[in-house]
Structures are given as structure tokens and as C-alpha cells.
Amino acid sequence: MIELRSDTFTLPTPAMRDAMARALLGDDVYAEDPTVRELEELAAHTLGKEAACLTPSGTMANLATIMAHAPRGSAMLVGAESDIYIYEAGGAAVCGGVTYLPVPTRPDGRLLLTDLAAGFPDEPDDPQFAVPALICLENTQNRCGGVILPLDYLAEVRRFATERGVPVHLDGARIFNAAVGSGVPVAEIAQYADSVQFCLSKGLGAPIGSVVVGDADVIGRVRRVRKMLGGGMRQAGIIAAAGIVAIREHGRLAEDHANARRLAEGLATVDGIEVDPTSVQTNIVMFRVPEHRLTRAQFLAAANAAGVALAELGHGRVRAVTHSGVSSADVDRAVEVIGAVLSGE
């Protein structure tokens, strides 16, 4: 099976498995796991922040950070196409008492400053309004096709947030893809946010875990909320060991980006496929299939039966994600299979 549904299907490399087997372990709830401490120090240093906290998942990382920033009864401004708003089960409202204020997401992943400004009430002292206490951005932006938010835009949002006295949280699940794709150190992107979460278990290839980075005070609050949510792990160094390898070897993401462009260019040659290869910036390819031939459900089922796993991602689009488990030969084969499925062969 050529697995293109997500980069969450990556398997740990031999180096990761070896590191996991050899990891020094302790009880992380007591802050005594040396490998977790090493991972958190590496993450904080790499992203240019004071401290870091390992969590089991990106969803918990985002939720714990939102709750660390925003008090109950407040609101957060978040993209209407963001993973936090769509795919994280309303956790901020359910667990944190924080209201979502969805902001239109532009095709390039940006939330316009005018739209962010509209989320702030004209009379913030009026008790009828839930006042924004946090701005959330996503980089790369998943549902916009893995696009990278420009640094000058991040700087604008940083200034906007500072003027209004609210922090910025960056859902950087794929921030290392953004860094490799834009050719800058990851810390250059992270500098514009008060907190950043990134996934070890997507393109970085580790089997589990996400990390939140920020200043020491914020991370202290994140750690407390993590415990409350059930995320306090014990001998978590066995997880952290793979994460250390993943961060140190993140440069290999460039191969995934090249394969995504190769896939998009191949799909562009298939009759009926709607795809723009020039829009591919990282490891995500969005395309449409001609529904007068096959419905999306029929297309996905037929491709899967022929050995290519793909996923629908809303708005009538199919998503393909390249990762360490997908080679250039796999990409070429996937194009052949998709062409055969659409031609009825």
C-alpha cells in the first residue's frame, strides 16, 4: 500500500528504534526522566524559547496551551479552516470554557488583520462580550494545502497582538516543514509566537508525541494543565528518544517536499484531475477528481483497492501527503494508479 492519507502513518527509523531501546529512563511526572529533559531542552533551544513540555499528542498540546493562556469565559481568535477549530473536538470550550471566534482563513493560510480586529468588541469593558485573550495561527496551514505563512505576515500579527495585549499561539504541527520549505531556521518562525506546539509524529517521523515551547512561566502552566488532562507520563523517555532523533534529522523533510511536487506534476498530466503544482509548498497536495466519472467516495475506494490510500479533506478536495514512507518510485506508481482508476482500466 502506498500510504498518502497523512504523514501520521510514518514509522520510526532504525535510528529511532535504537535510541528508544537504549534510552535512560525515569519518572517524568517527578521531572526525573533524563531523556525527556534532553528532548525538552533540545526543543526549546531549537525553537529559540526558554522551556518546553512533552505531551502525548498535538491535540493535548494545543488544548493545554490554550488553557494556559486564556481564562474561562474569555475567547480566542482562530482560523475557520484551522485544525484547532475543526479537528480538536471543541476541547477549548468543553474543558477550558474558552469561546472560539472563527476568523475567515484566506487561501494562503492568513487571517487578515482586519478580520482579527473585528473579533475585538468595541466596548471591551461591557460584560456581555467574551473578550479575546488569545490569537491562534497555524503554520503550515493544513487545509490550505500545507502553505507556509510568510515571516512578514507573522511579524504583522505579532505587532497587532502586542498592541492589544494578547498572546499568540502557533499551531506548528508541521513548523519544521515550514522552516525547510522557506529555507530559514525554525526559531526564525517561532520568534513571532508566545507559544508553539509541534508534532514529532507527523513528517518528523517519531511514533508519538508533541512538544510545546514558550517562556518558562507559560510552560509551567502548560505542564500543570497537561497533568489535569491526564497527560502526565512516567517513563516517557522511551518516546522522547525518538523525538530527539526526529528533531536532529529534520532536514530530510526536503525530500518529502520534492516528492509532493513530483506527485502534483504527475497528477497534472492525468485527464480530468484539477491540481496546481505551483501551489505545492511543502508535503501536502490537494486535488479534485471529475465527479461525472466517479464520486469522491468511489474514487477513494477504487484507489485504495489498487494500492493507493488517499483521504478527502473537505470542499470537494482529495489530499495526498508525502512522508518518509513514500519514495519517488511510490509517487510515480501512485500517479499511474490514479490515472488507471479514472480511465476505468
Side-chain angles (χ1 to χ4, degrees):
M1 179 65 71
I2 299 172
E3 182 54 76
L4 294 172
R5 284 176 292 174
S6 178
D7 45 10
T8 59
F9 286 91
T10 54
L11 297 176
T13 64
M16 290 178 187
R17 292 179 183 272
D18 183 63
M20 293 168 74
R22 298 172 181 273
L24 298 175
L25 304 177
D27 191 325
D28 182 50
V29 173
Y30 286 85
E32 293 180 3
D33 189 301
T35 309
V36 171
R37 291 203 302 269
E38 181 182 354
L39 168 66
E40 291 175 343
E41 290 168 4
L42 174 64
H45 174 75
T46 302
L47 275 78
K49 301 298 185 184
E50 288 183 353
C53 178
L54 172 65
T55 68
S57 70
T59 296
M60 182 182 286
N62 281 330
L63 176 56
T65 310
I66 290 166
M67 292 174 67
H69 282 302
R72 297 187 70 84
S74 65
M76 65 174 175
L77 295 165
V78 63
E81 292 290 324
S82 68
D83 279 23
I84 287 177
Y85 183 58
I86 295 174
Y87 295 123
E88 297 189 354
V94 175
C95 301
V98 180
T99 298
Y100 296 84
L101 294 180
V103 175
T105 305
R106 306 293 294 176
D108 61 3
R110 293 179 303 143
L111 312 181
L112 297 183
L113 297 189
T114 51
D115 291 330
L116 290 172
F120 288 83
D122 293 333
E123 300 180 35
D125 293 332
D126 188 330
Q128 296 179 100
F129 300 109
V131 179
L134 180 66
I135 296 172
C136 296
L137 300 177
E138 183 178 323
N139 193 17
T140 64
Q141 217 295 339
N142 174 28
R143 284 171 65 89
C144 292
V147 296
I148 302 168
L149 297 182
L151 292 178
D152 58 356
Y153 168 73
L154 294 174
E156 289 177 356
V157 175
R158 171 75 273 167
R159 288 192 295 270
F160 173 92
T162 300
E163 289 170 359
R164 285 155 181 79
V166 298
V168 175
H169 172 61
L170 181 62
D171 178 0
R174 297 182 175 93
I175 192 173
F176 283 89
N177 291 93
V180 170
S182 55
V184 301
V186 69
E188 192 166 338
I189 299 172
Q191 68 177 313
Y192 298 109
D194 296 275
S195 56
V196 181
Q197 87 84 8
F198 68 91
C199 290
L200 298 167
S201 57
K202 289 190 169 73
L204 291 181
I208 188 172
S210 288
V211 180
V212 183
V213 299
D215 66 36
D217 182 59
V218 167
I219 295 304
R221 297 198 301 272
V222 168
R223 199 174 300 278
R224 177 173 289 276
V225 178
R226 181 191 71 169
K227 176 63 177 177
M228 181 181 67
L229 295 173
M233 299 174 285
R234 300 298 179 177
Q235 287 70 40
I238 199 167
I239 296 169
I244 292 169
V245 175
I247 292 173
R248 288 176 174 162
E249 297 183 353
H250 75 269
R252 62 147 304 279
L253 293 172
E255 179 182 343
D256 298 342
H257 298 179
N259 280 334
R261 289 189 291 274
R262 184 186 187 100
L263 176 61
E265 290 165 359
L267 290 173
T269 68
V270 177
D271 183 38
I273 291 286
E274 295 179 20
V275 64
D276 179 8
T278 65
S279 69
V280 177
Q281 298 181 20
T282 54
N283 67 325
I284 296 176
V285 178
M286 297 287 202
F287 64 96
R288 298 179 189 275
V289 296
E291 291 237 330
H292 64 277
R293 301 187 198 175
L294 292 172
T295 67
R296 281 187 302 281
Q298 289 171 332
F299 167 75
L300 293 173
N304 187 79
V308 177
L310 298 158
E312 185 176 7
L313 207 74
H315 304 297
R317 303 166 304 171
V318 176
R319 185 184 77 164
V321 186
T322 55
H323 51 81
S324 60
V326 177
S327 66
S328 59
D330 290 331
V331 166
D332 294 342
R333 175 59 183 159
V335 172
E336 292 176 5
V337 167
I338 290 169
V341 166
L342 289 177
S343 65
E345 296 178 7

